[in-house]
Amino acid sequence: MNLKPATLRQIDEVITHYPVKRSAALPLLHLVQEDQGYISREAIEWIAAKLELQPINIYELVTFYPMFRQHPIGRRHIRVCRTLSCALTGGYHVCARFQQELSCPPGGTSADGEVTIEFVECLASCGTGPVVMIDDDLHEKVDLTKATQLSQQIKAAAKTRNPP
Amino acid sequence: MPAPVQRRLIFAHIDEPGYTPDLACYRRHGGYEVMKRAFARPPAELIDEVKKSGLRGRGGAGFSCGLKWTLVDRKSGKPIYLVVNADESEPGTFKDRYIIHQDPHQLIEGAMITCWANNVQQAYIYIRGEFPHGARILEKAIAEARAANLVGKNILGTAYSCDLFVHRGAGAYICGEETGLIESLEGKRPYPRIKPPYFPAVLGLYQCPTIVNNVETLCHVKHIADLGGDAYARIGTPNNTGTRIYCVSGHVQRPGYYEFECGKITMGQLLHEVCGGPLPGRKFKAVIPGGSSAKVLRFGEKFNIKQKDGSMSELGVEDLPLDFDTLAAAGTMGGSGGIIVMDDSVNMVEALANLNAFYAHESCGQCTPCREGSLWMKKISARMVHGGARPQDGELLKNVADQIAGRTICAFGEACAWPTQSFVQKFGDEFAGYSAAKKEPPAESVPLI
């Protein structure tokens, strides 16, 4: 495991928050996923050893909790809310617009590896639906025009990073 | 009757220009003064104030907060934990988000007063994984509070020490259920525990007595410590005291959050006057009054509700005062305060299919009736929407739902059955006629599934 020194420091610190080491399993999974982009088999074994657990104790968390992933995703992570309040205000159309603008298959990653779009359950901002999280940032009242604008910003940022 | 004016107790500073989430701003607005006064009082007195206040939990169940605290096993000799439920996972609910992001110190002050009152020396805030900024804001606020000797060792120069940490969830609805949350905090899959024997007040976190309270509930505790239990109990209506934050979403002109004295506003006043009524050219059709799990109400239906004086009166959906007891008497619940409004453009089969997809995704899988039942309800309603509807499908859905509720370890069984039971009961005609109706979907209709 090739974790950044800052991640390792945070891991050692967070373990001290709990009287029982196992409680640090979710915090460690978050820290490792932020560092590595996903949870590899090696990461599962590393976290288990760190917390004096069996790898299955960590693996069963990775498969249960929707936010943990076992494969890398696109550079940008778009999460469109699917649940009722956002759907009532057009969430399905918004998700389709992102997929179309960014050439991204439903639930998958664009061919250039730039974007992953997920249709997720309630993000707890129902009064400003449809809502979309792009990486860690929440975008509210995302209508089709705003979905197109956000997609164009993502494409422009990718172009700046990888000039043709 | 015109709608009453908002009474902003918890949301006093939400969206106030210039109000920032840092300690200095909170202190300028009198922050932590209530806690200082509370720490000078014996803990038992504070528990008494909360009992007198009549505060009911704002997370969904509406359970008496004072009673919850009274049930804590204080004789075991084991440490007592406080866990702040900041999972805010019930669809339609979005109040704790604003407290966490805009006024985190109000929560921390309420939590620390609760810790003092209950002799808690370690507390955790379990925040949903989808609030990454919220978690950072809380961590920063706790660090500020710790540096100012408001959290941590020898708080305010007393012999009392109590620490507080933020713990992030990872996208699972079931972590809002208090025993599932405790399992998750222990680093496990959040399978809810069976009660008895695992009442958190006796056998909670690490098998120690544990109090699990919602974010908003703990903010109310701060105001109860400030005003006194008796004065707080005069806000709202009897047995439904204090203020309530109503989160309105869906088909109204002005969705959002509105704080009123509990039970002093009716559904009609809230939706027509405060939220501006239906969208142009539309009519209200249905409303879910307390988070997506609450049973749906159909505009036009009538309820026989017992009044405080014992007489019965017939009320329509618009006439219902928004308090725990009236909504329970109307066969639904006040729940988490999440009000989802649907107008006449909505097909109820499709709305139910949307919710059934949610519950099938979120069932933890521990109990067979819920794991299998929620999945079959999703499959049946999805089949109906995708061209395979049969007239008897409503009855079939109800049949599945009836076999889940009451047969599971936690209340998710009811939560996933109630939408199906109530949608089919109240909109049976739409379920029976869905295949015919499906041939001509309205041009402007928005897909829900």
Side-chain angles (χ1 to χ4, degrees), chain A residues 80-83 119-123, chain B residues 128 130 357-358 361-362:
Chain A
V80 183
C81 177
R82 189 208 68 83
T83 320
F119 211 14
V120 297
E121 298 301 341
C122 188
L123 292 172
Chain B
R128 63 177 311 181
E130 297 91 334
F358 173 83
H361 183 263
E362 300 298 344

Side-chain angles (χ1 to χ4, degrees), chain B residues 54 185 234 245 248 292 304 314 349 389 406:
Chain B
L185 189 47
R234 286 194 288 274
I245 299 164
V248 185
S292 63
N304 280 311
E314 195 184 65
V349 177

Side-chain angles (χ1 to χ4, degrees), chain A residues 17-18 23 85 122 124 137, chain B residues 97 124 128 133 167 185 206 249:
Chain A
H17 292 186
Y18 308 95
S23 275
S85 299
C122 188
D137 299 327
Chain B
R97 157 187 288 281
Y124 296 97
R128 63 177 311 181
H133 288 308
H167 185 98
L185 189 47
Y206 312 124
S249 64

